[in-house]
Amino acid sequence: MQSILFFGDSLTAGYQLRASESFPSRIQEKIDALHLPYKAYNYGVSGETTAGGRQRISSVLSRFEKIDVFVLELGANDGLRGIPVRETTQNLQYILDEVRRAHPEARVVLVGLEFPFDLGPLATLGGGRMGHYALEFKALFRQLAEKNEVDFVPFLLHGVIGQRHLNLPDGVHPNAEGQKILANNVWAVLEKVIQ
């Protein structure tokens, strides 16, 4: 049995949902339906920033003798807090380096995020600083994926963001139906990695 480790924040954890409704669990269902020899492990922690992930990564990696696939989904909380893009990038790079050091054989999938708000009127505030941040934030994921030559999911929340019926009342976290779409977005890339 091979292992797929999902390392992320509330989007991976399935905030306020049953464990079976999180997107890693939905991906396990797809794996099982295809009789593939993989087990998904969900190491999502709600509220985690890339700095938190950086502190946590070593202890998580050390729990596994062998990780075959590592899926990294972090950064949304950095975006919400306006953490400098350079800092987010450095933290994600550190995590990628740790994975490579501890599990050099692991295939890595980096999950892209975009600034989670419809900036609309905000974009014009502060001389367009918010819009500039959103563009830089979106770009950092693809740049990291290319630099590290890892597989890349362009945008985790594609088809879910801004859709009220696919999110919890907070408008930020996907509900069970939304998590199914997240699973499809990740599976579009992950299936090729594990097949």
Side-chain angles (χ1 to χ4, degrees), residues 148-169:
N148 291 278
E149 298 178 338
V150 297
D151 291 284
F152 181 57
V153 176
F155 182 31
L156 178 65
L157 294 170
H158 179 74
V160 176
I161 198 165
Q163 302 293 321
R164 192 167 287 155
H165 66 290
L166 294 174
N167 287 282
L168 297 175

Side-chain angles (χ1 to χ4, degrees), residues 18-188:
R18 291 195 294 270
S20 61
E21 294 172 322
S22 68
F23 83 79
S25 293
R26 295 299 186 191
I27 284 175
Q28 183 69 62
E29 291 170 6
K30 295 175 187 294
I31 289 168
D32 294 346
L34 292 168
H35 307 291
L36 296 169
Y38 284 90
K39 174 150 177 49
Y41 296 89
N42 188 339
Y43 279 85
V45 172
S46 290
E48 185 153 88
T49 59
T50 57
R54 180 178 180 145
Q55 289 177 325
R56 180 168 69 105
I57 187 64
S58 297
S59 69
V60 170
L61 293 176
S62 67
R63 291 174 201 173
F64 290 82
E65 204 169 296
K66 185 170 185 281
I67 294 171
D68 298 284
V69 182
F70 183 89
V71 181
L72 176 56
E73 176 279 308
L74 274 177
N77 292 307
D78 294 45
L80 287 168
R81 295 172 192 188
I83 289 169
V85 167
R86 191 184 68 235
E87 206 173 299
T88 299
T89 303
Q90 287 169 348
N91 289 332
L92 290 171
Q93 184 62 59
Y94 178 90
I95 293 167
L96 292 168
D97 290 343
E98 280 298 290
V99 173
R100 202 152 268 166
R101 191 185 59 71
H103 296 275
E105 299 303 305
R107 290 283 303 270
V108 176
V109 178
L110 181 63
V111 176
L113 295 160
E114 293 179 18
F115 199 70
F117 298 118
D118 170 13
L119 292 166
L122 279 176
T124 55
L125 290 174
R129 263 202 322 273
M130 289 290 281
H132 180 69
Y133 180 82
L135 288 172
E136 274 198 331
F137 182 82
K138 176 183 174 180
L140 84 85
F141 296 96
R142 186 174 293 280
Q143 288 164 1
L144 267 177
E146 288 172 359
K147 177 184 167 191
N148 291 278
E149 298 178 338
V150 297
D151 291 284
F152 181 57
V153 176
F155 182 31
L156 178 65
L157 294 170
H158 179 74
V160 176
I161 198 165
Q163 302 293 321
R164 192 167 287 155
H165 66 290
L166 294 174
N167 287 282
L168 297 175
D170 65 14
V172 176
H173 294 96
N175 60 22
E177 284 306 303
Q179 283 277 343
K180 287 180 187 173
I181 296 172
L182 267 54
N184 291 337
N185 292 343
V186 174
W187 185 244

